[in-house]
Amino acid sequence: MVATPRLDEVIEYLQAQGWTPQTQWRNGQVWSHGEFDVLVPDGEVVDYGARMRALVRCVADSEQRSTEIVVRDIVSGGVDIVGYRAGDAATEVSVEAGTAALTALRSLLVICADQVAGSEIRIATMREHAVAELLNSTILLPRRDVFGFDLVLAGPGSRLSRRAAVRLLDVAATMREATDGRGFGMGAEMWSDTVEMFSALGSAERDPMRFELSFHWSRQVPRPGVVIEFSSTEIARLPRLLDVGTIASSPLPTESVPGAEQPAVIEGVVVGVDNDGGPKATVRGVLFVDATSTGRQRRVTVRLRTPEEYVKALVAHRSRSRVRATGIFDGRRDLQISENGFTVIDGDGS
């Protein structure tokens, strides 16, 4: 656990969550909530720590949350939490699918944070710093019952954190409606890379599995909790949404691309950005390898060289500006940028 909560913190939390005090018992007081009872010890008892651990386990069971999350919530005075759950207790998730899901959720948080920061922070480098600070202050806690994890965001005092989470909730709700054919429009509100990320959350291109995103808000700045669930059938529909978008996504089979380690250039739009393992951008466009077109549009991971290029990629992603990336292609998906090889070819990129 993060820390052993103080008695006053526990009582404040139980009151806020609707628990009510009942009878005295063994140097403590019984508090009840529905079918659950906990014993709140007096602060002076010698086994305070053990009793508090038992209390937290019971509260976690009643809320169907992890003990780590409950303790952090009690001690911090309230946190915003975005949860991801996939499949059920019997679902086996491969390393590849699990990594793709975590990367997709991280990218969605980055995009949402960058979008809301863009309305308040005009200088690109300051926006990048604010988003990076949000990621650094976000805690990742794995689930133990099913495959998944909780993103514990910065406290309610972080305006960017709360607004990014609300933005992600809005995007998830819109995407959920899109799987039923309701209200889907491919534009600034719902780009094709968003479809790809939600597809990754449900392993749409491998073995579609149900997943849910849950939003639990700090009691200091309360909002109703929300769970948005995608069934395996709805997950299977996600890739088809790309067919009705204004930006097509048609990655080519690996064998149709010329051999590895050749000079290449791609022009297109930035559909994703990431800084995990080094700065990179996902560009969708027509790839030319050794001056020969590979045909239809495809997605290429562009490995950037400098923080300045990463900032350019962030701005281009937000403004939907076209970019040109020049470098060495590995024959599969990655293009390593050459020096000064990343250029914004419309828009100012700043």
Side-chain angles (χ1 to χ4, degrees), residues 167-226:
R167 171 71 175 171
L168 178 55
L169 168 59
D170 291 343
V171 171
T174 303
M175 184 61 69
R176 174 64 181 77
E177 291 182 356
T179 62
D180 291 337
R182 293 177 288 146
F184 184 79
M186 193 76 75
E189 193 71 17
M190 192 61 60
W191 295 329
S192 53
D193 57 314
T194 311
V195 177
E196 294 162 2
M197 291 172 194
F198 275 85
S199 296
L201 291 176
S203 295
E205 295 183 0
R206 301 180 181 88
D207 185 14
M209 60 180 177
R210 67 164 296 278
F211 77 85
E212 65 180 41
L213 290 177
S214 60
F215 298 83
H216 176 88
W217 309 105
S218 164
R219 65 183 185 277
Q220 291 187 14
V221 190
R223 289 174 58 106
V226 179

Side-chain angles (χ1 to χ4, degrees), residues 23 69 114 168 190 245 299 346:
T23 59
I69 288 289
D114 184 63
L168 178 55
M190 192 61 60
R299 298 184 301 277
D346 65 39

Side-chain angles (χ1 to χ4, degrees), residues 114-132:
D114 184 63
Q115 287 175 349
V116 298
S119 65
E120 298 182 353
I121 306 174
R122 299 181 63 85
I123 301 175
T125 53
M126 293 181 64
R127 284 196 300 270
E128 180 191 20
H129 177 74
V131 173

Side-chain angles (χ1 to χ4, degrees), residues 13-79:
Y13 181 85
L14 294 177
Q15 290 173 335
Q17 300 302 109
W19 293 74
T20 56
Q22 305 294 330
T23 59
Q24 292 290 131
W25 190 75
R26 291 190 180 181
N27 296 322
Q29 188 172 34
V30 176
W31 287 60
S32 299
H33 189 279
E35 62 181 10
F36 293 89
D37 296 317
V38 296
L39 180 63
V40 179
D42 295 332
E44 301 299 323
V45 297
V46 295
D47 60 346
Y48 177 84
R51 290 195 184 190
M52 194 55 62
R53 287 191 291 273
L55 180 151
V56 168
R57 285 195 295 270
C58 184
V59 171
D61 287 343
S62 73
E63 298 180 357
Q64 297 185 331
R65 299 199 292 161
S66 69
T67 56
E68 293 88 350
I69 288 289
V70 171
V71 171
R72 192 177 296 275
D73 212 348
I74 293 173
V75 172
S76 69
V79 289

